[in-house]
Amino acid sequence: MSCSESNVLPVAPKAAPAASTPSAPSSAAEPMAYGLPRINERAPAFQAQTTFGPRSLDDYRGKWLVLFSHPADFTPVCTTEFTAFAKASADFAAINCELLGLSIDSIYSHLAWVQNIKEKFGVEIPFPIIEDLSMNVARAYGMIHPGASDTAAVRATFIIDPTGILRAMVYYPMTNGRSVAEILRLVRGLQTSLSQGVATPEGWQPGDKVLVGAPKTVADLEARLGEGLETTDWYFSMKKAS
């Protein structure tokens, strides 16, 4: 499958609405339905063939998962992303997080591209890539955006927790590569928030202070001043992460 990452599809102007007149039922196929998962709900289940053999969402129970799509194999932006994910794979593994790629390409295309990256860039891809010629996984996760392409997945990233709950999703256009460092930072932030019941401020990194939720009652408000937190105002308190 070919994909031009440098071309952004123009938006065609909408035609003026026609007068309301009775018409015969259309014989054309109905438009394809595109789903969109929601944060803090169960991630869509899937079973798929990958470059490492069959994989399903259940295979990642007990681990964090970064599921990410790319428009097509043998494209320049995608190549930079895959080499970056490969180089950071040990950092993801250190925080109990697996990586899983996807595009609407065949296993043979994936295998040829992985081998090409190894030969030309000296980087081995240590994680599986889903073959999604049927587009079943891409549709379930809302990776196909008709305004961009009907046959290629945009750069979508989904972070799924060890119980199968979707905790974050990030979409990029075909023309611009993701920051793998930001995805790693986000996984670490989510792990901290879920384990300690706190929020993380802008640009948070491990070792930085975290935010404590604002009081919700008068009693909580009065108690806040005696909790030993760094309180700037009643709604804004920080502390060291555990």
Side-chain angles (χ1 to χ4, degrees), residues 90-195:
D91 294 323
F92 283 99
I95 56 173
N96 192 36
C97 183
E98 300 281 340
L99 300 172
L100 179 60
L102 176 148
S103 78
I104 302 166
D105 289 295
S106 70
I107 285 293
Y108 305 107
S109 176
H110 289 338
L111 292 174
W113 186 40
V114 165
Q115 184 64 21
N116 178 268
I117 292 174
K118 180 179 179 180
E119 292 176 351
K120 303 298 183 182
F121 297 90
V123 176
E124 293 193 37
I125 304 302
F127 50 82
I129 310 171
I130 291 174
E131 171 189 69
D132 196 28
L133 293 172
S134 67
M135 297 192 288
N136 288 337
V137 182
R139 289 179 189 142
Y141 279 82
M143 297 173 177
I144 306 296
H145 291 196
S149 171
D150 288 329
T151 58
V154 296
R155 300 184 197 287
T157 306
F158 303 88
I159 300 176
I160 302 169
D161 77 12
T163 67
I165 301 300
L166 178 62
R167 295 299 181 180
M169 55 184 181
V170 184
Y171 288 83
Y172 276 65
M174 294 184 181
T175 52
N176 303 94
R178 289 162 281 210
S179 167
V180 172
E182 169 59 16
I183 295 170
L184 179 61
R185 188 196 74 87
L186 181 54
V187 176
R188 288 169 169 160
L190 286 165
Q191 292 177 340
T192 299
S193 293
L194 291 172
S195 65

Side-chain angles (χ1 to χ4, degrees), residues 202-222:
E202 183 278 330
W204 179 90
Q205 295 288 346
D208 292 350
K209 294 173 183 175
V210 294
L211 292 161
V212 180
K216 296 182 179 180
T217 67
V218 172
D220 290 342
L221 178 58
E222 293 175 349

